[in-house]
Amino acid sequence: MSSSLKARVFITLKNGVLDPQGKAIGHALNGLGFGSVGEVRQGKVIDLELSGSDAEKAKTELKAMCEKLLANTVIEKYEIELK
Amino acid sequence: MSSSLKARVFITLKNGVLDPQGKAIGHALNGLGFGSVGEVRQGKVIDLELSGSDAEKAKTELKAMCEKLLANTVIEKYEIELK
């Protein structure tokens, strides 16, 4: 079997950017009786399978993917996690 | 300051459930020259702030939130992470 890496990328709205979807989830949870819920923010998670085993190279590539396609860096930030 | 917990919930499609959005991202990345990208799956991440400091209670509550509102457990699975 050829080697491969699994990566998880989180795309979330930057602090200060309004998140109406998160707010709606928060309100719905409060309405369902979950009174302890405060602020809620929603984002995306993308799980990728990458061929190769060079973690450093993979991280560089993932950063480029986020900048070019996955995140809108004007309003979104990203975190990369290699497993 | 009153105590609060931060939680992160991942909602992802179950294995075997078709994920056209993930497929589209994978194709786009391949087209942009990222040839090492294999399978891609997309999901949601929800960051919540919970009042209180009892981690066990928070986990039980988060599980109930996922079952009742956040995830469609027919096709989606969820993971809970407390920070």
Side-chain angles (χ1 to χ4, degrees):
Chain A
M1 208 185 98
S2 69
S3 62
S4 72
L5 291 165
K6 278 182 192 256
R8 180 162 257 190
V9 176
F10 305 102
I11 318 278
T12 47
L13 286 169
K14 286 184 179 171
N15 294 335
V17 178
L18 279 181
D19 180 7
Q21 202 171 358
K23 276 235 158 15
I25 294 171
H27 280 299
L29 287 172
N30 287 152
L32 280 171
F34 298 105
S36 63
V37 175
E39 220 204 325
V40 180
R41 311 273 291 171
Q42 200 203 312
K44 281 178 279 189
V45 58
I46 300 168
D47 289 310
L48 302 107
E49 230 177 73
L50 299 168
S51 58
S53 58
D54 184 342
E56 274 315 304
K57 196 179 146 220
K59 265 196 188 162
T60 315
E61 274 206 328
L62 285 164
K63 228 184 132 180
M65 290 178 209
C66 287
E67 296 283 344
K68 278 196 195 162
L69 180 78
L70 302 179
N72 173 357
T73 52
V74 177
I75 54 165
E76 292 170 327
K77 59 187 190 311
Y78 56 85
E79 293 161 61
I80 293 164
E81 203 181 276
L82 270 180
K83 313 193 233 194
Chain B
M1 210 183 94
S2 68
S3 62
S4 72
L5 290 165
K6 279 181 191 254
R8 179 162 260 190
V9 176
F10 306 102
I11 317 277
T12 47
L13 288 169
K14 285 184 179 172
N15 295 335
V17 178
L18 277 181
D19 180 7
Q21 202 171 357
K23 276 237 156 20
I25 294 171
H27 279 299
L29 287 171
N30 287 152
L32 281 170
F34 297 106
S36 63
V37 175
E39 220 204 324
V40 180
R41 309 274 289 172
Q42 201 203 312
K44 281 179 277 190
V45 58
I46 300 169
D47 290 311
L48 303 108
E49 230 176 73
L50 299 169
S51 59
S53 57
D54 184 341
E56 274 315 305
K57 197 181 143 219
K59 265 194 190 163
T60 314
E61 274 207 326
L62 284 163
K63 227 185 132 182
M65 291 179 207
C66 287
E67 297 281 344
K68 277 197 194 161
L69 180 79
L70 302 178
N72 172 356
T73 52
V74 178
I75 54 165
E76 291 170 329
K77 59 185 186 319
Y78 56 86
E79 294 162 62
I80 293 165
E81 203 181 275
L82 270 180
K83 312 192 233 195

